[in-house]
Amino acid sequence: LGPVIALVLVATIIFNRFAFRRQFAGVSDGQRIASYDEKKAIHDKPLLIKCLVVLGLTIVAFMIHDFLGLPPAVVALVSAAVLAFITKPPIEELLHEIEWPTLVFFAGLFVLVGGLKATGVTTALAGLIAGSTSSVLVLTMMILWGSAFLSAFLDNIPFVAAMIPLLMSTIAQLGLTPAQADPLWWALSLGACLGGNGTLIGASANVIVGGISERTRDPITFRNYLAVGLPAMLISIVICSLYIYLRYFT
C-alpha cells in the first residue's frame, strides 16, 4: 500500500492547504515552528521515559500478540496496568480526564454494528457488492468505492470480516488465480481504510479528536467535518482507482 498511500498523502496535503487557506493566510509555518520550545512541554522527564518504554513494549506486543496467544485488548489492558503500577498516577484525576462521552459513543456504535452484523445487514450489503458482476475490473471498483462509503458510516472491521468469505467465494466462482484476485483484496483494504476519513464517525481517531474538540471554542461537528473529510476521501479514492487500474488492468 506504500506507493499509493504516498500519492494520497501528497494530494491530501495539497487539498488541506486549499481547504484551510484562510487559516494559513499570512502565517509562516517555519517561523511558527521555530518559535516553539519543545523542552517546555516536558515537565517530568523520568515519567516520559517510563511511558516511552511501556509504549515501545506495547507496540512490540501488538505485533507478536498471535505468538504470545494474547488478544490485542489484553495487551492494551496489561500495558495500562503496568504503566499505572510503575508511575502511580493520581487515579481520581485521570478518571476525571477520560473522554467518557467518547467511550459511551464507541460502546453504542459497536452494539449497533454488532446488531447489523448479527441480523445479516452487513453481509447483505457486502453480497450486493461482491455478487453483482463477473468483470474483475468492475468488481474491483465496486469493492473500492462501496467499501469507502460504507466505512464512512460503519465500523470497517465487521464489514471487512463479512467481505472476506464473500470475496473468497466470488474468487472461486470466477476461477481467478491469486494474482488475478490481487486487485480485489487491495481494493477492499484501501476502501475500508480511507473511507474512514469521510465522516466524523468513520474512524476511531476522528471520534476521539471530535470529543476533545468539545472543550474548545470551535468544536468539530459532524457537518463541518463532512465538508472537509468527504472531499478528501473522494480525492483519495479517485487516486486509488487510477492506481489500481494502471497497476493491474493495463
Side-chain angles (χ1 to χ4, degrees):
L1 296 178
V4 66
I5 293 302
L7 297 174
V8 170
L9 173 62
V10 173
T12 303
I13 292 173
I14 295 173
F15 172 79
N16 284 337
R17 292 291 294 185
F18 172 79
F20 298 101
R21 59 189 180 280
R22 292 182 180 178
Q23 290 86 341
F24 288 129
V27 178
S28 171
D29 293 341
Q31 291 178 354
R32 181 163 57 179
I33 293 173
S35 67
Y36 294 155
D37 185 359
E38 68 277 7
K39 294 181 181 178
K40 292 182 179 179
I42 303 175
H43 302 287
D44 190 337
K45 190 173 182 179
L47 177 61
L48 174 65
I49 294 174
K50 292 176 183 178
C51 291
L52 290 176
V53 170
V54 174
L55 176 62
L57 293 174
T58 303
I59 293 173
V60 172
F62 276 140
M63 297 172 65
I64 61 173
H65 73 90
D66 282 337
F67 176 77
L68 297 175
L70 298 174
V74 172
V75 173
L77 290 173
V78 169
S79 300
V82 170
L83 187 60
F85 177 77
I86 64 177
T87 60
K88 297 179 174 59
I91 299 298
E92 291 185 1
E93 294 182 15
L94 291 182
L95 291 176
H96 180 71
E97 294 295 326
I98 291 176
E99 289 289 331
W100 293 108
T102 302
L103 293 179
V104 173
F105 173 84
F106 275 125
L109 177 64
F110 291 145
V111 169
L112 176 62
V113 173
L116 292 174
K117 182 180 179 181
T119 55
V121 173
T122 305
T123 302
L125 291 174
L128 289 175
I129 297 173
S132 58
T133 179
S134 59
S135 169
V136 178
L137 174 59
V138 174
L139 183 59
T140 298
M141 295 304 163
M142 289 184 64
I143 291 173
L144 177 63
W145 284 88
S147 300
F149 278 99
L150 287 173
S151 295
F153 296 95
L154 299 174
D155 187 70
N156 55 7
I157 294 176
F159 173 74
V160 171
M163 281 295 296
I164 287 175
L166 288 168
L167 268 184
M168 294 178 67
S169 176
T170 303
I171 290 169
Q173 291 176 11
L174 296 176
L176 302 179
T177 65
Q180 292 172 327
D182 266 356
L184 302 179
W185 297 114
W186 292 122
L188 178 61
S189 178
L190 288 166
C193 181
L194 295 174
N197 296 331
T199 69
L200 186 60
I201 62 172
S204 302
N206 301 356
V207 177
I208 292 172
V209 173
I212 295 173
S213 75
E214 294 292 335
R215 305 174 183 175
T216 69
R217 292 178 297 178
D218 188 19
I220 300 173
T221 65
F222 186 90
R223 179 179 295 180
N224 62 29
Y225 181 94
L226 187 68
V228 177
L230 184 60
M233 184 201 82
L234 294 175
I235 291 172
S236 66
I237 298 301
V238 168
I239 292 173
C240 292
S241 299
L242 294 173
Y243 177 84
I244 290 177
Y245 176 76
L246 294 174
R247 179 172 178 180
Y248 291 103
F249 298 100
T250 59

